[in-house]
Amino acid sequence: MELYELNLLMMTEGLKAKKFSASEIFESCKKRIDACEPSIHALITRTDDTMPTFNENGALAGIPTVIKDNLCTKGLRTTAASKILGNWRPPYDATAWSKLKDAGSILMGKANMDEFAMGNTCGNSAFGPTMNPNDTSLVPGGSSGGSAAAVSAGYVPFSLGSDTGGSIRQPASFCGVYGLKPTYGMVSRYGLISYGSSLDQIGPFARTVRDLQLVMSVISGHDNMDSSSFSDRPHDFSYNEKASVKGKKVALVKEFADFTLDAPIADAMKRTAKILEDEGAVITEVSLPVVSKYAVACYYALAMSEAHTNLERYDGVRLGYTVKDARGIKEMFERVRSHGFGAEVKARIIAGTCLTEPTRCEEYYVAATKVRTLIAQEFTRAFGETDYILQPVTPSMPGKVGEVDDDAMKGYEADLYTLPVNLAGLPGLSFFTGYAGNLPVGLQLIGKRWSDSELLDTGIILENHLGSPRIANGGVK
Amino acid sequence: MAELTFTPVIGIEIHIRLKSDSKLFCSCSTNTDAPANTNICPVCMGLPGTLPHMNHRVVEQGMRAGFALNCGIRPKSLFFRKSYFYPDLPKGHQISQCDLPITTSGYIEVHDADGNLKKIRVHHLHLEEDVGSLHHSASDGRLEGADTSYVDYNRSGTPLAEIVSEPDVSSSAEAVEYVMTLRRRVIYSGASDVELEKGMMRFDANVSMKCSDGRWGHKVEVKNMNSFKALERAIEYEIVRQKKIMLQGGEVIQETRHWNDAKGITSSSRVKENYRKFIVEPDLPPLYIDQEWIDKVAATMPEMPDVRANRYVKDWGVSQEVADVLTDDRNLADYFEDCVKAGANPVRTANWVRTEVLRVLNEKGVKISDFTMKPETLAGIVSRVDGKKLSTTQGKEVFDWICANNGGIDEAVKALGITEGGIAGNALADVIASVIAANPDVIDEIKSGKDKKGKKLKFLQGLVMKETKGQAKPQEVSEAIEKALN
Amino acid sequence: MYLTSEEVNEIALESRLMLTEQELAGAVKYINNFLDALQCFKELDLKDVEPFSFAEAIECPLREDKVIPFADNEAILHESEHVDGSYFKVPRIMEE
Ligand SMILES: [Mg+2]
Ligand SMILES: [Zn+2]
């Protein structure tokens, strides 16, 4: 067994017991990246040239990691997979990354993603697509596709991504790793390049649920620099041996029953429900009529309205891609933005601008904020009746790399199972259930706000029954 | 046909810099005089991934400024993003409370054309961040014709209060009184120093005209006024321009116009201002202000200057003009009231402060806070002059001596050789005799009857007063001279 | 059709985006499909529904008014190709 194959917990324990050294881990991971990266292309920037010094007493001392390239890294190029950021080197670290660094983690690279996190294939990057390490002809999912692929292929035992409407959970499911979208406000967003600010949340990928716990215990908690991060919430992610689902209610969504699912996913739903039932949980049903019918429209209306204002700052004056021969400021802005942004981003900017125009604002943007209230209320009601909601992450298995849907809205509908969680600020765990042939199949468990640590406890119970994913082949012949 | 008359309908928007050490959403210094682009950080530069963090003191300053305008405080207010593209606006949008502001409505009182008090309603005051500053490379420093602009982001993110009036202003004079009163009130509240020369107060005006034939002209937004004078001139210019159009039967176009101070004209703004509906700022939760906090800040509010001036006029009989001067500076008014509290006559003290104290401050180029004479001392001088223990001239000499030497009144009297009660009787007669002896030609003129207007007589009186160092009573001097000449 | 290509182009320019003919055609289709999907809001009675702001009652945290200078403003300036001396230099603002 190679060192890179160790999961996070085994690595930290082995390092503590001096079974191997941090530099041996570093070299092993680096070799693995060298082997897979040509066929996976999970990283925009590699930073594993030489091993840096690190805090040897931290909780993650010597553990290699990869973070999504929309997390700012001081002095190191951060692109959000967009041409418009050029070679921007932020003069500061994102809080989540600085916490990992303080804990002794070592950065191996910045992960590929859909430009500004807009997409669910990781094919929408100015740096080209990332491939699924289980089958390189397939997409890894997105937008945090690079972060998911890196963990799946064994580059690193854990990584960070961000989830605005499923961008952690969907690639975790496609790549066969665990991914947590934490409760909104659990992890500081400072230094995360915003897409939809009220929906964005940073979270971890790992190959075991216990590893997610370890990472969450480091990155969660209040941050003065993020006014939406909560100060008075407990965030104890230590392993709970006595965790049980006995007597807990796990609900399926009534309205989702009619929707078609790919066979492996439908099968996984049945098996998982059975396991939970055998463990003493009560399988029930909740009704989410507004969510099932209006969440997709609501989500995209709000995400684009917020996104277009978040992207107004890219004008070529202070950083990134620019032009120097414009005759007027308007021409400069137009040229920078027209050439700097990719097609999907431009489409969403125009949509967001359109929805918030004075003449349409009430009809679309304000209406969407009200629909969001109804959705949040619906979840509050549902969680009065159940402890968890079990549902798919996506209705279908990953598609081919390079396949583009002609109707964008159809692609958006594939996010129905993930994005309501962001609208209501809930935690969602994407977990591995087994393989269908070569491909992993993931599902999603959703909890109440701030129930992240119990959610992970339950994830461990599921993992014990369903087994942990293996390291993907990573395109190595 | 009756002659057409026009009534201007004017609303004013004011931006005032609120006083704080650090910026609104980051910890950079608010010192905009620092070398360009030194007081900047990732937050106020709008760098990707940064988030705003609200300044506690600015909230209080907003409350104070609100109280100064007779506004109420809203227990819950919200921040929005106001979008437009401009190089001095780092995020491409300004974080502003425009739609759910920190204050409710208020008002300011001004004098109308007939001298009666009139309320100008304040719609609200809201908090927002300022933009960076632009320097243009055209020879006259203006936008038009400039090839390049230079941006300094030191000002970006400094805290502003935007104050929006209802369209209750009907003349440029009312507009100026409104902004001057408002400025004094805000300074009194401690919310801002409103140093005009530092651009801490900027004005926009919405001007439209109502015609006696029932026509209403469209609203024109005039921007870019940075002084009281500019505001006054810009409004005057617009009134004349719009009236002319309407008299010719034309229609005033609804538009934004820029005031060009050098040329003294407004011109149509060629930059299209696109006003988007504001989206809620997702990075800032609502601002809650509880009653306890409101009460605490309200308790620190001083009496407002115009209220104070009116009290001086009404209760103490001080003239409006003098009362206005005294209350212009909160510390000066405090000084004046301390003198009155020490027992001096208010009207006479007011005049003393107005003339003597301000003269000395002017000469020395200092503020009232640097003035060393205790209010009790000035009260003592005024009372002694009042009680005729000192003549006015002696009083002023004592005042000057104390200003120069920092002593008490008795000390000053002794040092100046003043006999309290003055020179009279034989002593006065001796002085008059010597003055007469020294000016034979003046005496001749008076005796020949040429001094019809009594000018020469006054001249003699002046010489006597001078000789007696002001310690004689003028009435007695004049009688004694006439007696001596006859 | 909710928006014509002219209207979409105007919105694009408002966002400081110049679209090629092909991009514009795509954007028109995209926006209209999108607006079509949003028509479903009309089925809901939203009259008395409060707009959503935060997932739960959270107050705007307030920080002390204390100056903490950013250590490295040079690093910020260094990232711009428009820095001239200590200023950011941009082309003229008024259009012809
Ligand atoms: Mg404003
Ligand atoms: Zn700053």
Side-chain angles (χ1 to χ4, degrees):
Chain A
M1 192 178 186
E2 298 287 335
L3 286 177
Y4 76 80
E5 292 176 75
L6 296 174
N7 64 39
L8 172 55
L9 186 64
M10 287 155 76
M11 257 187 212
T12 50
E13 284 177 350
L15 281 167
K16 255 184 241 154
K18 301 218 176 352
K19 282 191 198 158
F20 40 78
S21 71
S23 59
E24 285 173 297
I25 295 272
F26 181 85
E27 288 306 324
S28 177
C29 289
K30 186 175 170 176
K31 249 174 82 184
R32 179 65 181 168
I33 298 172
D34 286 339
C36 302
E37 189 56 5
S39 38
I40 304 299
H41 188 234
L43 305 177
I44 289 175
T45 305
R46 283 182 68 168
T47 56
D48 56 351
D49 197 29
T50 50
M51 185 163 141
T53 54
F54 59 93
N55 172 15
E56 297 189 23
N57 303 312
L60 300 173
I63 305 294
T65 191
V66 149
I67 63 175
K68 192 175 181 178
D69 207 19
N70 59 356
L71 290 163
C72 290
T73 42
K74 190 174 176 177
L76 173 68
R77 181 173 76 154
T78 299
T79 69
S82 182
K83 182 181 168 188
I84 207 159
L85 276 156
N87 287 314
W88 182 52
R89 285 162 307 166
Y92 61 100
D93 281 322
T95 300
W97 162 237
S98 96
K99 284 184 170 193
L100 288 184
K101 197 160 66 172
D102 289 349
S105 192
I106 292 169
L107 190 70
M108 306 298 276
K110 303 289 297 285
N112 199 13
M113 55 184 283
D114 289 298
E115 184 178 359
F116 285 108
M118 295 177 180
N120 51 19
T121 62
C122 208
N124 192 23
S125 160
F127 299 85
T130 295
M131 271 56 72
N132 192 318
N134 296 281
D135 177 342
T136 54
S137 72
L138 301 179
V139 300
S143 62
S144 312
S147 303
V151 172
S152 162
Y155 290 14
V156 286
F158 83 95
S159 66
L160 292 188
S162 68
D163 189 317
T164 306
S167 283
I168 289 175
R169 291 160 288 156
Q170 188 251 27
S173 157
F174 280 6
C175 291
V177 295
Y178 295 92
L180 176 72
K181 183 261 153 188
T183 297
Y184 187 81
M186 178 71 92
V187 180
S188 168
R189 291 184 295 116
Y190 191 77
L192 167 68
I193 297 179
S194 302
Y195 163 23
S197 312
S198 73
L199 305 154
D200 297 339
Q201 191 65 190
I202 295 167
F205 292 94
R207 293 189 297 268
T208 73
V209 180
R210 281 199 70 179
D211 289 354
L212 292 183
Q213 285 182 325
L214 272 174
V215 183
M216 282 305 291
S217 67
V218 173
I219 64 169
S220 62
H222 175 71
D223 177 14
N224 270 332
M225 299 301 278
D226 177 1
S227 297
S228 67
S229 88
F230 288 73
S231 51
D232 55 350
R233 292 290 171 172
H235 49 277
D236 180 5
F237 286 98
S238 53
Y239 175 53
N240 176 8
E241 242 171 312
K242 288 183 204 128
S244 146
V245 289
K246 205 155 282 166
K248 290 273 164 76
K249 286 182 181 166
V250 180
L252 307 177
V253 178
K254 189 176 150 214
E255 288 77 10
F256 292 168
D258 303 336
F259 298 156
T260 47
L261 299 173
D262 281 2
I265 299 167
D267 177 58
M269 282 291 285
K270 283 194 201 96
R271 278 190 295 125
T272 305
K274 178 75 171 49
I275 289 167
L276 288 166
E277 204 166 18
D278 291 349
E279 278 286 314
V282 181
I283 304 296
T284 102
E285 196 179 60
V286 288
S287 176
L288 299 174
V290 178
V291 169
S292 60
K293 214 170 162 197
Y294 305 97
V296 175
C298 173
Y299 169 83
Y300 278 98
L302 292 176
M304 291 183 200
S305 298
E306 290 184 9
H308 96 271
T309 61
N310 282 327
L311 299 179
E312 283 161 342
R313 72 195 65 206
Y314 304 102
D315 58 14
V317 175
R318 290 159 302 279
L319 58 98
Y321 172 77
T322 196
V323 297
K324 298 208 70 176
D325 57 343
R327 280 158 302 177
I329 194 75
K330 197 160 173 250
E331 183 192 310
M332 173 174 152
F333 287 177
E334 282 172 355
R335 281 171 56 193
V336 166
R337 292 168 62 82
S338 302
H339 301 140
F341 289 128
E344 178 74 21
V345 175
K346 280 192 260 188
R348 295 197 192 194
I349 289 173
I350 297 168
T353 309
C354 171
L355 299 186
T356 53
E357 288 269 337
T359 51
R360 302 186 195 91
C361 193
E362 280 294 321
E363 190 180 352
Y364 298 118
Y365 167 72
V366 177
T369 64
K370 292 179 171 183
V371 176
R372 188 176 185 182
T373 299
L374 297 180
I375 287 169
Q377 285 170 352
E378 207 163 83
F379 273 113
T380 305
R381 212 178 307 124
F383 280 115
E385 300 162 14
T386 187
D387 297 294
Y388 299 110
I389 294 172
L390 174 68
Q391 66 184 44
V393 180
T394 58
S396 19
M397 301 295 281
K400 292 270 179 214
V401 173
E403 252 177 17
V404 192
D405 206 321
D406 204 34
D407 181 357
M409 278 316 289
K410 280 227 184 73
Y412 297 168
E413 272 155 26
D415 299 339
L416 169 64
Y417 295 110
T418 48
L419 51 80
V421 167
N422 302 75
L423 286 170
L426 305 168
L429 171 69
S430 176
F431 61 93
F432 171 76
T433 67
Y435 290 95
N438 202 18
L439 290 180
V441 181
L443 290 180
Q444 183 177 204
L445 196 65
I446 301 163
K448 296 174 193 172
R449 281 178 62 71
W450 308 112
S451 73
D452 306 45
S453 85
E454 296 100 90
L455 191 62
L456 294 183
D457 288 341
T458 305
I460 291 173
I461 294 170
L462 288 168
E463 185 180 355
N464 289 339
H465 284 276
L466 293 162
S468 316
R470 59 179 181 245
I471 285 180
N473 167 274
V476 179
K477 299 280 168 345
Chain B
M1 198 175 86
E3 199 160 320
L4 295 175
T5 56
F6 291 87
T7 315
V9 179
I10 304 164
I12 299 173
E13 283 175 26
I14 305 171
H15 286 89
I16 288 180
R17 158 81 72 72
L18 292 173
K19 185 155 75 181
S20 68
D21 294 331
S22 64
K23 292 184 180 179
L24 184 54
F25 297 124
C26 66
S27 300
C28 288
S29 163
T30 50
N31 176 17
T32 49
D33 295 334
N37 293 303
T38 51
N39 286 331
I40 56 169
C41 77
V43 176
C44 56
M45 288 295 280
L47 299 190
T50 59
L51 302 167
H53 193 190
M54 183 75 194
N55 185 332
H56 180 276
R57 183 160 170 224
V58 175
V59 178
E60 283 204 356
Q61 298 293 45
M63 288 159 77
R64 280 198 188 91
F67 286 135
L69 314 179
N70 301 301
C71 294
I73 303 302
R74 226 182 272 277
K76 178 188 176 184
S77 54
L78 214 52
F79 295 91
F80 297 83
R81 291 179 173 180
K82 186 180 172 185
S83 297
Y84 62 95
F85 290 96
Y86 222 61
D88 60 5
L89 182 67
K91 293 187 296 297
H93 58 257
Q94 179 192 33
I95 302 179
S96 168
Q97 287 196 306
C98 40
D99 265 14
L100 192 64
I102 183 169
T103 81
T104 56
S105 59
Y107 66 88
I108 292 279
E109 283 185 320
V110 301
H111 294 87
D112 66 13
D114 302 324
N116 299 318
L117 277 180
K118 160 184 177 180
K119 275 184 182 161
I120 307 295
R121 289 168 301 157
V122 171
H123 184 271
H124 74 266
L125 171 151
H126 70 246
L127 305 174
E128 62 184 29
E129 55 180 343
D130 205 347
V131 297
S133 31
L134 288 167
H135 306 272
H136 304 289
S137 65
S139 53
D140 60 352
R142 301 205 55 81
L143 257 72
E144 287 158 78
D147 282 338
T148 43
S149 300
Y150 293 86
V151 199
D152 169 12
Y153 292 103
N154 280 349
R155 199 178 67 183
S156 170
T158 53
L160 294 179
E162 180 175 329
I163 300 155
V164 182
S165 88
E166 297 283 1
D168 292 346
V169 177
S170 357
S171 69
S172 61
E174 282 180 24
V176 170
E177 190 181 345
Y178 169 72
V179 296
M180 283 175 76
T181 306
L182 188 147
R183 173 175 179 264
R184 278 203 293 165
R185 282 179 156 250
V186 171
I187 293 174
Y188 256 60
S189 75
S192 171
D193 294 333
V194 203
E195 293 173 79
L196 293 167
E197 66 284 1
K198 287 191 179 170
M200 288 191 186
M201 194 177 193
R202 314 198 289 267
F203 315 100
D204 302 325
N206 291 310
V207 184
S208 61
M209 300 294 273
K210 204 169 100 183
C211 183
S212 54
D213 64 5
R215 282 184 298 157
W216 273 84
H218 281 126
K219 195 171 82 176
V220 172
E221 191 176 6
V222 191
K223 288 184 168 280
N224 192 37
M225 288 86 81
N226 298 318
S227 67
F228 294 148
K229 196 80 213 155
L231 176 71
E232 185 179 20
R233 288 170 69 209
I235 290 176
E236 283 296 334
Y237 181 88
E238 265 309 298
I239 289 174
V240 171
R241 189 185 71 86
Q242 294 182 20
K243 214 156 128 179
K244 199 169 147 199
I245 293 172
M246 289 174 81
L247 275 172
Q248 291 166 348
E251 199 163 320
V252 176
I253 303 165
Q254 180 159 358
E255 63 178 345
T256 300
R257 297 178 72 85
H258 270 263
W259 169 248
N260 183 325
D261 207 55
K263 292 186 189 160
I265 59 165
T266 68
S267 54
S268 184
S269 169
R270 283 171 291 172
V271 177
K272 191 191 158 209
E273 312 259 350
N274 36 19
Y275 286 112
R276 225 170 271 164
K277 173 85 185 189
F278 319 115
I279 78 155
V280 174
E281 170 55 79
D283 292 329
L284 283 168
L287 172 64
Y288 290 95
I289 300 175
D290 59 23
Q291 194 58 44
E292 199 185 328
W293 193 10
I294 294 173
D295 293 343
K296 213 178 108 197
V297 176
T300 65
M301 287 294 292
E303 186 184 22
M304 285 293 113
D306 46 331
V307 175
R308 212 168 183 181
N310 288 344
R311 182 163 56 82
Y312 296 173
V313 174
K314 210 167 137 254
D315 295 359
W316 291 342
V318 176
S319 79
Q320 182 75 49
E321 190 237 331
V322 173
D324 283 346
V325 172
L326 294 185
T327 52
D328 189 51
D329 178 340
R330 183 175 160 186
N331 294 326
L332 188 70
D334 284 345
Y335 184 88
F336 161 65
E337 288 194 31
D338 286 344
C339 292
V340 175
K341 254 182 232 146
N345 173 295
V347 175
R348 274 187 279 280
T349 308
N351 291 330
W352 270 82
V353 173
R354 159 77 205 267
T355 51
E356 300 310 310
V357 176
L358 284 184
R359 172 180 58 81
V360 171
L361 295 184
N362 236 339
E363 283 165 7
K364 294 190 175 172
V366 296
K367 289 188 189 141
I368 184 70
S369 46
D370 304 314
F371 189 58
T372 49
M373 188 185 297
K374 290 199 187 89
E376 295 74 23
T377 309
L378 179 57
I381 297 172
V382 175
S383 297
R384 283 184 209 205
V385 173
D386 246 10
K388 306 217 176 345
K389 290 197 178 132
L390 291 175
S391 69
T392 306
T393 317
Q394 285 171 330
K396 286 177 185 171
E397 279 172 1
V398 169
F399 178 87
D400 284 339
W401 189 90
I402 295 174
C403 284
N405 303 292
N406 280 334
I409 300 176
D410 292 335
E411 212 182 319
V413 166
K414 206 173 154 199
L416 291 165
I418 297 170
T419 327
E420 277 195 68
I423 295 170
N426 286 342
L428 181 60
D430 287 349
V431 175
I432 291 172
S434 67
V435 167
I436 288 175
N439 294 280
D441 41 342
V442 178
I443 306 301
D444 285 349
E445 223 171 312
I446 294 171
K447 285 194 171 162
S448 68
K450 276 182 191 159
D451 185 32
K452 289 203 179 84
K453 287 179 184 164
K455 268 190 183 169
K456 298 291 165 186
L457 202 58
K458 282 253 157 64
F459 173 72
L460 284 182
Q461 276 177 28
L463 290 175
V464 173
M465 291 306 285
K466 197 175 161 196
E467 207 62 29
T468 59
K469 296 201 171 69
Q471 293 173 64
K473 286 182 185 142
Q475 186 63 32
E476 208 179 324
V477 171
S478 127
E479 283 167 13
I481 292 175
E482 270 177 71
K483 212 172 115 190
L485 290 177
N486 290 332
Chain C
M1 282 280 269
Y2 298 91
L3 292 175
T4 64
S5 69
E6 261 161 47
E7 285 170 314
V8 173
N9 197 45
E10 198 168 305
I11 294 168
L13 288 174
E14 217 174 277
S15 314
R16 299 294 182 267
L17 295 171
M18 286 180 303
L19 302 182
T20 63
E21 229 165 276
Q22 197 191 345
E23 280 178 322
L24 181 60
V28 171
K29 191 176 161 206
Y30 178 94
I31 300 275
N32 284 314
N33 278 344
F34 187 49
L35 293 183
D36 203 32
L38 299 190
Q39 298 310 308
C40 67
F41 292 163
K42 298 205 173 96
E43 299 162 14
L44 293 164
D45 180 12
L46 300 172
K47 209 171 74 236
D48 300 322
V49 181
E50 279 289 307
F52 181 95
S53 55
F54 279 80
E56 60 193 80
I58 173 173
E59 295 190 15
C60 182
L62 302 173
R63 57 162 233 284
E64 198 193 334
D65 180 31
K66 205 174 127 195
V67 175
I68 306 168
F70 182 64
D72 199 359
N73 71 313
E74 283 298 327
I76 298 177
L77 267 64
H78 196 78
E79 290 302 313
S80 172
E81 289 184 38
H82 292 274
V83 166
D84 183 1
S86 54
Y87 284 92
F88 292 81
K89 184 181 167 185
V90 294
R92 71 162 158 239
I93 285 163
M94 300 300 281
E95 301 295 315
E96 300 283 340

